[in-house]
Amino acid sequence: MPRNKYPEETERKIMETALRLFLDKGYEQTTVLDIIANLGGLTRGAFYHHFKSKDALLEAILEKYSNGSDVYEKAMTANVPNGLERIKLALKLALESNVSSNESIAIIGMVMSLLATPYFFTQRHKWMIEDSKVFAKMIEEGMSDGSIKKGNAKLMSELMMLLINHWTMPTIYPCTKEELLIKGEMIVQILAGIGFPVIDDEIEKLFFQTMDAIEWSTPV
């Protein structure tokens, strides 16, 4: 087999094809053979040359379409009054990106459905830990300038990430949309109660806009 002169193009084709199938059929229902069958002549060997498994392919897709690093970079370099406002900016940028396109909404919906699978839940938790380290640095800035109450920045960051990214996910903790609204109000009170009033009206509104755009069923 001749050497592929354009490996990046091949990877892009595999990722775009897989994403389309994941969104159309569902991640669990899509097999590697399904992906290969839609690659227009690429072989199974070519697939495994670039991705060792379907799970590894999913990780690459989510990394490509994730706005995390860009959001953090913009927030960390932005001219803001204090550390608290820097964190608010990071959250707003991330949420605005979520509702910016139908593809973004579709990917979020796919991620939500995948949270019920042990492998993806574990992987996402690892990503959350890394994200929490970035937010901890912003919290430390807020503690230094007085916009956030003195405390343990690491634990504050971890708590925020758990509440926002786990407790509000109906595929982890089944709830109705009415209950989700109550959860939002409780998160505001919890974080404000420890001297970390990071969730303002705009962030709440953007979060619920995202959830409203995603199709998810009410638990029985």
Side-chain angles (χ1 to χ4, degrees), residues 35-170:
I35 298 168
I36 293 169
N38 284 271
L39 287 176
L42 283 177
T43 65
R44 186 169 182 169
F47 176 92
Y48 284 110
H49 175 74
H50 293 282
F51 302 101
K52 64 180 181 180
S53 66
K54 188 177 74 167
D55 289 337
L57 173 56
L58 175 64
E59 288 181 38
I61 289 171
L62 294 177
E63 183 177 347
K64 176 182 177 181
Y65 288 97
S66 170
N67 59 6
S69 59
D70 289 342
V71 163
Y72 299 149
E73 184 176 345
K74 289 179 181 177
M76 289 297 287
T77 58
N79 183 17
V80 293
N82 53 52
L84 181 64
E85 292 303 318
R86 193 176 304 283
I87 299 170
K88 288 183 179 181
L89 176 61
L91 294 176
K92 289 172 185 176
L93 289 172
L95 288 167
E96 286 169 354
S97 177
N98 287 346
V99 297
S100 65
S101 69
N102 291 333
E103 184 178 66
S104 296
I105 290 296
I107 291 173
I108 295 168
M110 181 179 71
V111 167
M112 283 179 58
S113 67
L114 287 170
L115 286 173
T117 63
Y119 171 82
F120 186 71
F121 182 90
T122 300
Q123 289 301 115
R124 186 169 184 269
H125 188 66
K126 290 179 181 177
W127 300 332
M128 279 177 51
I129 290 173
E130 293 304 310
D131 287 351
S132 71
K133 293 176 182 177
V134 178
F135 279 109
K137 293 179 181 178
M138 299 184 200
I139 293 173
E140 288 172 354
E141 177 188 355
M143 290 178 178
S144 296
D145 62 38
S147 58
I148 298 172
K149 183 180 178 180
K150 293 286 186 180
N152 190 309
K154 175 178 178 289
L155 299 185
M156 280 188 180
S157 179
E158 290 174 353
L159 177 62
M160 179 185 74
M161 297 297 287
L162 285 170
L163 290 173
I164 294 175
N165 291 290
H166 275 181
W167 195 44
T168 58
M169 293 296 105

